[in-house]
Amino acid sequence: LGAAAKVAAECIQADPGVCGTSILAAAALACQPHANVELDGRTYPLSLWFLTIAESGERKSAVDNLVLVPHREYEAVQCERRRIERADIEQRMRIYDNNVSRIGKGKKSDHESDVAALKQLGKRPEFPPSGILVMAEPTLESVHKEFLAGASSLGLFSDEGGQFFGGFSMGKEHAMGAISGLSKLWDNGSGERVRASEVPQVYRNRRFSSHLMVQGIIANRVFGNSLLSGQGFLARTLVCKAKAMAGTRIYKRKDAMTSPEVEFYYNAVNTLFGLPYPTAGKSTGELKPRTIGLSEAATSEWIRVYDMFAAGIVDKYATIKPWASKAAEQVIRIAGVLTLFENPYANEIPEDAIVRATKIVMYYMDCTLAETEETALPEAVRNALGILAWCKKKKLTEVTYEDTLHY
């Protein structure tokens, strides 16, 4: 993963942190249905949520387009297969409805014979999930719909995350329910849809990873939203704060897609997509992932990391306590993704994976600290600091009002 991220950063000339985040999110989407990590009776899914903060021109879209190539190809195959299945099911539905309409119309019809006839017909055919793997602008309702139709694993990937945070689900009347529902998906993959006119519908053991990219002005609003922070939604996200690269690039003739490192990454993703989902039932979509443990050395290292973050809650990470309280779990999840991506049949997480995952989480914690400190400043000060940084990057010693209009 690291080698592919470096090539992506070199060819696209985007911030390495953005490239690494995109590739890790894409790897989590491929890995998440296949295994859970178990330690001392606790089960940790491999789903990961990321929030990347980068301004316009930082090539967020180009990075996601590169890393999601195998995901889009897999999705296209699944959607075509579902389209063919859907046509067959529509025909079976018509036949079923015609048979139901005939019940009770005969001269010898009575309640008992009608009930028996309905039982003989069985359950009405249902549409399968659409085959979509990567959702760009979902509402919680659309996520519920896919999972209830039998989908097992989904991802939310958008380079316009502002559309998600400003969309229907995050509206004043729906935000609380959406935040609570999405948080349950991160915790254990469960959800429920409750409507006044319907019987409540429940699903269990699904997997949902996400990577949302937003500009700084949107990030300030998101981090300043007491509901998003207070309900633990943001604390479940790993925050990447990109360094500005616009204005520093020169053209490079190199195609990342043909590099050995990216091809290796594509092959690894396709290997995972080639494995059947370990479902508890074909029709429900409920997953039954196998469990992988930690080696003795990995367990000892993780306990050290857990204690380090626990101590940091009252020290270095005091201002981002919600993120720090979940940091050790994020280490386990990332270590599981790294291990499974490198060996889809692994039964144990090695110590090295915990060490690497810890470095990754500490990077995201530092980004979170930087963003929360900036969000706490008045807007006028944030704007002034932004202009100052822009001037330094442009090596300007004298600035006019007209110059600042280009910032």
Side-chain angles (χ1 to χ4, degrees), residues 23-308:
I23 281 186
L24 188 54
L29 179 56
C31 291
Q32 65 182 5
H34 296 293
N36 296 325
V37 181
E38 192 172 273
L39 178 64
D40 296 334
R42 299 177 182 87
T43 299
Y44 303 95
L46 298 186
S47 301
L48 296 171
W49 290 5
F50 297 91
L51 179 66
T52 290
I53 304 166
E55 299 305 327
S56 178
E58 295 305 327
R59 301 188 174 174
K60 304 183 294 293
S61 302
V63 176
D64 252 9
N65 289 340
L66 174 70
V67 304
L68 290 175
V69 165
H71 302 69
R72 298 296 188 190
E73 292 175 349
Y74 174 80
E75 181 181 68
V77 172
Q78 295 302 309
C79 285
E80 176 61 18
R81 184 164 68 87
R82 299 299 190 188
R83 186 189 65 79
I84 296 170
E85 290 176 359
R86 189 179 183 91
D88 175 65
I89 289 173
E90 284 177 345
Q91 184 176 6
R92 287 162 51 197
M93 282 179 170
R94 286 192 293 269
I95 294 171
Y96 181 94
D97 292 341
N98 287 336
N99 288 333
V100 168
S101 66
R102 295 191 188 101
I103 295 174
K105 293 182 178 179
K107 292 181 179 180
K108 297 181 180 180
S109 175
D110 58 61
H111 177 71
E112 289 185 3
S113 62
D114 291 347
V115 170
L118 283 171
K119 284 185 177 180
Q120 189 174 6
L121 281 176
K123 188 179 179 182
R124 187 176 188 268
E126 295 179 345
F127 287 125
S130 65
I132 288 174
L133 176 67
V134 181
M135 310 177 83
E137 301 173 33
T139 61
L140 182 61
E141 175 64 23
S142 65
V143 174
H144 283 332
K145 183 179 179 180
E146 282 296 312
F147 281 139
L148 287 169
S152 301
S153 177
L154 295 171
L156 166 57
F157 285 68
S158 177
D159 56 7
E160 295 294 342
Q163 294 179 8
F164 171 77
F165 289 110
F168 177 80
S169 285
M170 292 300 171
K172 189 175 181 180
E173 296 181 359
H174 307 97
M176 179 70 80
I179 291 168
S180 176
L182 290 170
S183 295
K184 285 181 182 178
L185 285 173
W186 187 88
D187 293 342
N188 54 32
S190 67
E192 59 182 27
R193 182 169 66 180
V194 180
R195 291 176 174 175
S197 59
E198 295 180 0
V199 175
Q201 295 176 288
V202 179
Y203 56 85
R204 298 281 182 266
N205 294 320
R206 306 303 203 272
R207 293 295 177 263
F208 187 78
S209 284
S210 73
H211 183 200
L212 296 173
M213 301 184 182
V214 298
Q215 295 183 10
I217 189 170
I218 302 297
N220 291 337
R221 294 173 188 169
V222 169
F223 276 78
N225 187 312
S226 58
L227 191 60
L228 288 170
S229 56
Q231 292 297 313
F233 178 86
L234 284 179
R236 289 169 170 81
T237 65
L238 294 159
V239 179
C240 168
K241 191 171 176 63
K243 295 178 182 177
M245 301 289 289
T248 65
R249 306 181 181 103
I250 57 173
Y251 186 81
K252 291 187 178 181
R253 296 191 64 185
K254 186 173 181 181
D255 183 358
M257 291 182 66
T258 61
S259 70
E261 295 86 354
V262 172
E263 285 185 353
F264 183 87
Y265 159 76
Y266 286 165
N267 290 335
V269 172
N270 287 327
T271 296
L272 287 161
F273 283 147
L275 299 176
Y277 284 0
T279 54
K282 289 185 178 180
S283 61
T284 66
E286 180 176 350
L287 290 166
K288 197 174 182 180
R290 63 189 181 87
T291 58
I292 57 177
L294 277 67
S295 69
E296 285 298 323
T299 301
S300 298
E301 176 62 16
W302 182 78
I303 291 172
R304 184 193 70 79
V305 170
Y306 180 96
D307 293 343
M308 175 190 71

